Amino acid sequence: MHGIRTAAQARAWLDQQGKSVQEFAREHGVDPATTYQVLSGRKKGRRGESHKVAVLLGMKEGIVPDYTTG
């Protein structure tokens, strides 16, 4: 990744891809409300699903654990 995105940059990135927040959330299996909250700054992405959303949007460096493999 070339750097951490701000919320405005993350929204612009979604726009460049022609994706809505709802589509992004559906594609990544995350809650749309949490995605909106991360983009608005109401959730900081410190842990749990908000962490996953922030990492996927490029707003935070981190690892998104894959719990689907056993």
Side-chain angles (χ1 to χ4, degrees), residues 5-61:
R5 292 184 180 114
T6 64
Q9 290 169 331
R11 283 187 182 275
W13 176 70
L14 288 174
D15 286 343
Q16 286 175 339
Q17 295 183 39
K19 291 184 186 177
S20 68
V21 173
Q22 293 280 338
E23 286 176 295
F24 173 85
R26 192 170 34 253
E27 287 176 7
H28 293 283
V30 295
D31 180 45
T34 301
T35 307
Y36 281 111
Q37 290 168 347
V38 169
L39 285 168
S40 72
R42 289 184 59 217
K43 289 198 176 195
K44 304 299 180 199
R46 292 194 176 128
R47 60 189 65 83
E49 189 162 14
S50 65
H51 166 81
K52 180 178 180 180
V53 169
V55 171
L56 290 170
L57 287 170
M59 296 174 65
K60 175 182 179 179
E61 287 186 18

